[in-house]
Amino acid sequence: MKKMKAAREALLFFFVGCCYLFGVVESDLASDRAALISIRGAVGGRSLLWNLSTSPCLWVGVTCVSNRVVELRLPGMGLSGQLPADALGNLTQLLTLSLRFNALRGFIPPDIVNLRSLRNLYLQGNFFSGEIPGYLFGLRDLVRLNLAYNNFSGSISPGFNNLTRLRTLYLDHNQLTGSIPDLNLPALDQFNVSFNNLNGSIPSRLSDKPTIAFEGNSLCGKPLVSCDNSTSSGGGNNSDDNKLSGGAVAGIVIGCVTGFLLLLMILIFLCQRKRGEKQGSNNNVEGVKSCEADISREKPVGDITSAGNVSSGSAGAVARVEARSGGGGYKSLVFFGNSPKGFDLEDLLRASAEVLGKGTFGTAYKATLDMGLVVAVKRLKDVSVTEKEFRERIETVGKINHENLVPLRAYYYSSDEKLLVYDYMPMGSLSALLHGNRVAGMTPLNWDTRSVIALGAVRGIAYLHSQGPAYSHGNIKSSNILLTNSFEACVSDFGLAHLAGPTPTPNRIDGYRAPEVTDARKVSQKADVYSFGVLLLELLTGKAPTHSVLNDEGVDLPRWVQSVVKEEWNSEVFDPELLRYQNVEEDMVKLLQLAIDCTAQYPDNRPSMAEVKGQIEEICQSSSQEHDTIVDDQASQHTYSVDSGAPTFT
């Protein structure tokens, strides 16, 4: 009897213990649920379509282990406002928090310090401001920390040394000031503080990081240029060592007097020569007009700055090109690398100009120089950065060289004029070939040519992305895919998005912009993938993202394609021109599926551009040996006028 009684007591104790533990687990999950609902209510709950009648473990972006929330991933959800001050810290078992590429503002809530188990914190691409809070340094288990593309200010604290497990630290594209502290983080392998307002020398422990991790600042030291040490390396205390001998002083005086007399003679000679040329130069000075006056006229004929008679009724009319810097004197074109310097600014300003198109970042012109050379000139508008930052960013763009990127040859900067000089692409843009008025006798683009264009474009963009996580295009669209005479694709307009002013509510009517993008200056590589996916859909369907039928229905091109494919009406998706090529139907379906993957709603569900490149190369591999024959056939079938296919930069 005693044994039976003891057994019953043990069973009862076990049952009560299980109930207690079950209640604790339920209580913890209820606390997580309440925290998530509080966050949802504070940051735009309509974007988080959570079914509150179900377990939070089933909600989008939420991952649970053992009935506790361990991951909260809500990238690119259009969240706005401020995170609540007393909710996030209740998710005590959180390992990963990803709120990147939203529109969150204000400060990181202090209760984040309660997330002692947090390993990964991704907050890049928001509008967080103020100093980087010191309580972040209490998260000692952090492995990945990304605060890039925000508005953080103040200095970089040595407190980062508390995060001894840190492997990734991205602080680029903020407003941080001061010097970089001596960070002793042995595991750190990904680091970036580019495009802040930092100065001073780079700590030796960070000297093995790539150059792009520090650009856009006033830093020196390895891997950048060495710091100029103006102090004497001598250690002697004898004051006589610092005195000049009498002979040295006499030599300096004689040299100064001789130099002054020589300079005086040169000035007299120049004044006499100037007097003889004065009358002839007066007419030229009067012919120079202000750039800004011509901008305000908004003539239908393009001109970089108009100083001659222009026929306003003809779209192909030609204007004389002249300009003057804001300081009143001519400045020089700055050429890149081995670019041929067969012309200077005066040659460019005297060239005849023809408008190619007005786009997001300015107006593009076809400029024909007196020597017969033809270049494309882009006149930038709404540049919001300082001259120093402009030159740094443009010089970064000018160093990028790839056969599928339109090379930037030179640039010009003054207070009221910013010009970029590119190679001229006579075959025009992909947009013009797909949707423009067809020249008589022109054959529509066939599958082989479209696939080759897609391959060239993805190679150019993938190369751009390979330069580092801070490199993205920001404005991928068919009008920025220009073509060579052999129908090779070259991507233009890369690197310009960061120069424009802020656009907190971007217009998405162009149909290419990813849903998570809230500021055109802060476009991630995954947002580039979305835009490229739209471009692939445009190639396959023949429809522009701004197609009137789609817009009338309130549906963008990716959603329209998905709705058609869902009903298995694949034949209605493809451009009728492509349906003539039955032997490549499988390849077209593969490319269509890839485009759908690229335009996934959530950035994490999209492939990288390197993966997209690999898949397109596989699709094109079967026809790659025939490429030379294909493009020759295409070139013979098309009867373009060189000027009718003029490229547009938008």
Side-chain angles (χ1 to χ4, degrees), residues 532-554:
F532 184 75
V534 176
L535 178 70
L536 292 180
L537 294 177
E538 190 175 0
L539 271 170
L540 292 167
T541 65
K543 299 180 184 295
T546 54
H547 194 277
S548 59
V549 174
L550 301 178
N551 287 341
D552 290 343
E553 296 176 355

Side-chain angles (χ1 to χ4, degrees), residues 155-202:
S155 60
I156 300 176
S157 171
F160 280 105
N161 283 320
N162 294 338
L163 308 179
T164 55
R165 299 184 61 185
L166 207 60
R167 298 189 61 186
T168 297
L169 178 59
Y170 286 147
L171 303 175
D172 51 290
H173 293 86
N174 280 285
Q175 300 172 24
L176 301 173
T177 57
S179 60
I180 303 174
D182 188 14
L183 298 179
N184 184 14
L185 300 172
L188 191 67
D189 57 9
Q190 294 179 315
F191 178 78
N192 197 325
V193 292
S194 62
F195 297 105
N196 282 283
N197 299 308
L198 301 172
N199 54 43
S201 60
I202 297 171

Side-chain angles (χ1 to χ4, degrees), residues 6-81:
R8 284 197 300 268
E9 290 177 352
L11 185 62
L12 179 62
F13 178 78
F14 176 76
F15 177 75
V16 171
C18 287
C19 291
Y20 173 77
L21 290 175
F22 182 76
V24 169
V25 170
E26 285 296 309
S27 175
D28 288 340
L29 185 59
S31 175
D32 290 348
R33 174 193 179 90
L36 292 172
I37 293 176
S38 178
I39 294 171
R40 176 180 181 266
V43 297
R46 64 179 181 178
S47 297
L48 300 176
L49 303 179
W50 290 343
N51 185 351
L52 300 185
S53 64
T54 63
S55 168
C57 299
L58 302 177
W59 295 349
V60 172
V62 178
T63 302
C64 294
V65 173
S66 300
N67 262 5
R68 292 303 307 274
V69 175
V70 296
E71 289 187 356
L72 179 60
R73 296 180 180 270
L74 302 173
M77 297 291 290
L79 306 180
S80 59

Side-chain angles (χ1 to χ4, degrees), residues 301-324:
V301 179
D303 56 323
I304 300 180
T305 53
S306 174
N309 296 325
V310 180
S311 171
S312 61
S314 152
V318 171
R320 301 302 296 175
V321 181
E322 297 184 8
R324 181 167 61 181

Side-chain angles (χ1 to χ4, degrees), residues 233-245:
S233 60
N237 295 322
N238 189 351
S239 61
D240 291 339
D241 293 340
N242 296 323
K243 294 181 179 180
L244 295 174
S245 65

